[in-house]
Amino acid sequence: MIKRLTKATSLLVAAAAVISIIPASAATATTNLETKEGTIEKAIAFDGGKYLFEGYRSDDDQSGLYYYGGDKDKLIEDINIDSMDKYGDKYASVKDGNDEYLVDLSTGKEVDDTVSDNTDYVKTRLKTTLSKTDRYSTISSFGNNDLTQISSNQFGETWYAYEATTSGSAKLHGYANNSGKYIDTDVTANIYVNNGTKTIKVEKFDEADSGNNIVVSIDRTASVKEIGQDKDNIYRLVTVNITGAVNKTGATYIQKISKAQGDKEGKAYIPKDVTSYEVTSLYKSEDADNADAAIKAADTSFRVVNGTIYAIKNDGEKVTVNTIKLKKDKSTLDTAIVEANKATKFDVYLAEKGAKDDQDIASSAAVSEDVDGNVWALNNGKIYKFDGSDFQVVYTVDRSFDTLEVYNSDNLIAWKDGDDGYATVSKATTTPVDPTPVTNKGWVNTASGWTFYNTDGTQVKGQWVQDGGVWYYIKADGVMATGWTKDGSTWYYLQSSGAMKTGWLNDNGTWYYLNGSGAMATGWLNDNGTWYYLNGSGAMLANTTVDGYKLGASGAWIR
């Protein structure tokens, strides 16, 4: 528990009566938010109408850190907060000098562990695991600065970038999560380079490409920058030096790195998949040129939204968002680079700019990125959401408000920094006033498992249900399916939560691939330019030959 402190504070929260408001459903519709009395210094919005606040509601209130869980304010502590950040999928990391602790935002309770405790645990477990491999067997250093959280101050799965120094002074790098699962990122390059006459894929760092004598090495003098993550991948910017190609020193790539473990190198796990996209102006592509400029601009932050990278620049007066698509394309080289093949269109993997929009903001704190990565902005009493192409007004508030904190469209807070007045949007669960029994609606947990009811109270059976953008399958007995499920002649895989799985799946050591529709794939599969073969049961084949094509240990066709 936190020790009570005696130093003076000026904190609080407001929000005893959080209203439930339905957000605008059309781009042109807006909802005006009620202004309430209360002074807020800091705040974190969470799901279900729950909030953590620093401030006070009236002069008679005790100042401090409060939690609103849907019914009333709960004083957590009357301390002077130095920082309050998001951590993991549901925590707030609070620091006061040397004191730090975590608050579970789903319950408002303090938890025993801290961010430092979790980091130390990962470091200890990771060093023990890595030391058992040939590749890392001589780790000599794994100090306090060798583990860095990626996507910090964002809700989501916690992953860290690590650096391990061996007794031979070699530095090895990778990523690990809170459970100690890791992937070594110094082996797989899968970088496409151009030697002036053709595009060549270099599969490994620091190894000469067979037949072309091209070597790609990570430039350790330039920082590797993690720019974001999604459920399945980590995205990073890496600078490389290349011998034997047009793009030689200081070439920049975005690597999309699978969190899933694949093959082993020196008994250490490397990622199952890595796809690299060049950030460059070497080609005749205005979209690539614009992406190059947007990504390399100073003071740019990044988020990943549905596989698209958002490059976000906030200068305190305006926020600008460039969307960056990672795609395979065909393009010709700049004639200044190579005259001989100026008309040749090469297969290339490029970062290309899509949409761009900017919005004036009330202050640098008037920009917030929600749990899904969407960008929100506040200016002159209007709250905007970037919809992937434009900023659209969703809510209106008091024109004096200059600070914004958003969890999602249904849960946000806006206020005037350090001044009286704030407004909220909260999708909180309320207890019906009418004592009349209510017909079951939505998800209901029974002794047999989860069931689902339509809005008219009828139970769903033997069909698919889409809830919150996620697909679930309800069996003929009305119970939610998990694991492998056959619908008609097609197999699907439902995760333990019931959510339909897409993409690669490792089931008891066997790899399968679920298409975007969730349907299990069979036969030849092209995944980001790499071919795999899945037999009639959906199992990926490896170390064999199919139709005259040789498949390697990873299952990939060896060209």
Side-chain angles (χ1 to χ4, degrees):
M1 297 296 292
I2 309 168
K3 296 180 180 178
R4 197 170 186 81
L5 306 178
T6 57
K7 57 182 170 180
T9 61
S10 60
L11 335 167
L12 166 195
V13 164
V18 179
I19 57 174
S20 294
I21 300 175
I22 300 175
S25 58
T28 57
T30 60
T31 300
N32 184 56
L33 305 184
E34 172 193 356
T35 298
K36 308 169 191 177
E37 292 185 1
T39 299
I40 295 178
E41 304 290 341
K42 298 181 181 71
I44 293 180
F46 191 63
D47 198 19
K50 299 172 182 178
Y51 301 93
L52 190 68
F53 295 91
E54 176 193 21
Y56 57 89
R57 186 175 353 173
S58 71
D59 293 339
D60 296 329
D61 287 328
Q62 180 180 0
S63 61
L65 180 68
Y66 287 81
Y67 174 76
Y68 178 80
D71 50 0
K72 61 180 180 180
D73 294 342
K74 169 189 171 185
L75 177 65
I76 295 180
E77 194 58 81
D78 59 344
I79 62 174
N80 190 21
I81 297 174
D82 294 325
S83 66
M84 187 165 69
D85 298 324
K86 302 162 190 172
Y87 176 75
D89 57 359
K90 62 173 183 177
Y91 297 100
S93 171
V94 182
K95 291 185 179 180
D96 169 40
N98 294 325
D99 294 330
E100 70 167 307
Y101 58 99
L102 290 178
V103 175
D104 185 333
L105 293 172
S106 66
T107 63
K109 295 180 179 179
E110 303 164 38
V111 298
D112 293 335
D113 292 337
T114 66
V115 173
S116 298
D117 292 334
N118 291 339
T119 304
D120 290 342
Y121 168 80
V122 174
K123 193 178 301 181
T124 300
R125 181 163 182 175
L126 189 59
K127 184 173 183 180
T128 300
T129 302
L130 293 178
S131 63
K132 295 178 181 178
T133 70
D134 294 342
R135 186 166 165 78
Y136 289 84
S137 59
T138 58
I139 296 176
S140 61
S141 172
F142 215 121
N144 293 331
N145 297 321
D146 297 330
L147 207 63
T148 306
Q149 184 184 343
I150 67 173
S151 301
S152 60
N153 200 22
Q154 298 175 13
F155 286 124
E157 185 181 15
T158 304
W159 280 76
Y160 305 87
Y162 71 77
E163 178 179 283
T165 304
T166 66
S167 57
S169 298
K171 294 185 182 296
L172 303 176
H173 304 80
Y175 300 115
N177 66 7
N178 259 339
S179 66
K181 171 186 170 183
Y182 74 92
I183 47 174
D184 182 317
T185 58
D186 283 355
V187 177
T188 308
N190 286 349
I191 282 177
Y192 290 83
V193 300
N194 195 300
N195 66 359
T197 60
K198 62 181 178 179
T199 300
I200 299 152
K201 180 181 179 181
V202 180
E203 295 185 352
K204 289 188 175 183
F205 290 116
D206 303 317
E207 288 189 11
D209 172 71
S210 176
N212 298 289
N213 202 31
I214 294 176
V215 179
V216 177
S217 300
I218 297 176
D219 184 353
R220 296 299 182 189
T221 64
S223 61
V224 174
K225 181 177 182 180
E226 291 73 34
I227 60 177
Q229 64 172 321
D230 56 25
K231 181 174 65 70
D232 298 316
N233 304 286
I234 294 171
Y235 300 75
R236 74 173 183 178
L237 272 174
V238 61
T239 302
V240 299
N241 295 322
I242 305 171
T243 59
V246 171
N247 43 344
K248 296 182 179 180
T249 303
T252 303
Y253 288 80
I254 292 176
Q255 289 195 297
K256 180 181 177 181
I257 301 171
S258 171
K259 294 176 179 177
Q261 294 175 330
D263 293 336
K264 291 184 177 180
E265 184 83 10
K267 296 185 179 180
Y269 283 106
I270 60 177
K272 177 170 175 53
D273 296 295
V274 176
T275 310
S276 302
Y277 302 84
E278 190 170 6
V279 182
T280 184
S281 57
L282 287 175
Y283 295 92
K284 288 185 177 179
S285 169
E286 184 177 350
D287 288 340
D289 292 349
N290 291 338
D292 182 50
I295 291 169
K296 295 177 181 177
D299 301 321
T300 298
S301 62
F302 300 90
R303 292 296 297 267
V304 180
V305 181
N306 297 325
T308 297
I309 294 173
Y310 285 13
I312 307 162
K313 192 171 181 63
N314 177 354
D315 64 8
E317 297 181 351
K318 178 172 66 176
V319 59
T320 303
V321 181
N322 284 281
T323 64
I324 309 296
K325 303 283 189 178
L326 304 178
K327 57 191 295 187
K328 182 180 179 180
D329 210 340
K330 284 186 176 291
S331 186
T332 57
L333 281 164
D334 190 317
T335 53
I337 302 296
V338 54
E339 179 69 25
N341 293 288
K342 64 181 181 180
T344 303
K345 284 196 172 184
F346 299 97
D347 288 329
V348 288
Y349 284 75
L350 294 176
E352 300 183 1
K353 188 185 79 65
K356 176 184 178 181
D357 197 21
D358 57 56
Q359 175 57 52
D360 293 338
I361 51 178
S363 71
S364 59
V367 177
S368 182
E369 296 154 24
D370 69 21
V371 67
D372 298 313
N374 300 300
V375 182
W376 294 72
L378 167 64
N379 189 56
N380 287 334
K382 295 180 180 179
I383 297 177
Y384 301 82
K385 179 183 178 182
F386 182 73
D387 64 3
S389 58
D390 303 290
F391 280 97
Q392 300 285 348
V393 180
V394 181
Y395 299 108
T396 57
V397 293
D398 189 298
R399 292 175 64 87
S400 69
F401 290 175
D402 61 4
T403 310
L404 181 66
E405 158 61 17
V406 183
Y407 179 82
N408 58 20
S409 297
D410 298 323
N411 301 277
L412 62 81
I413 311 173
W415 70 94
K416 169 70 173 175
D417 185 31
D419 204 352
D420 184 55
Y422 73 100
T424 64
V425 176
S426 303
K427 191 173 183 180
T429 302
T430 58
T431 303
V433 175
D434 185 356
T436 304
V438 179
T439 303
N440 285 328
K441 293 181 181 180
W443 291 106
V444 176
N445 195 4
T446 69
S448 300
W450 284 97
T451 59
F452 191 88
Y453 290 81
N454 292 316
T455 54
D456 62 1
T458 58
Q459 185 179 10
V460 173
K461 293 184 178 182
Q463 65 186 70
W464 290 94
V465 168
Q466 187 181 42
D467 183 39
V470 177
W471 285 100
Y472 302 82
Y473 187 77
I474 310 302
K475 297 181 293 184
D477 61 1
V479 177
M480 180 189 77
T482 59
W484 287 106
T485 298
K486 192 173 186 181
D487 181 26
S489 61
T490 304
W491 284 97
Y492 300 83
Y493 189 87
L494 293 311
Q495 301 173 79
S496 58
S497 65
M500 183 187 75
K501 173 70 176 173
T502 60
W504 286 102
L505 166 72
N506 188 332
D507 185 29
N508 293 321
T510 300
W511 285 99
Y512 301 83
Y513 189 85
L514 293 313
N515 294 317
S517 66
M520 182 188 75
T522 59
W524 285 104
L525 169 73
N526 188 331
D527 184 30
N528 288 323
T530 301
W531 286 95
Y532 300 86
Y533 188 84
L534 308 158
N535 67 16
S537 69
M540 184 193 77
L541 300 186
N543 291 321
T544 188
T545 300
V546 177
D547 299 335
Y549 298 95
K550 186 177 180 181
L551 304 176
S554 68
W557 168 37
I558 301 175
R559 298 175 184 268

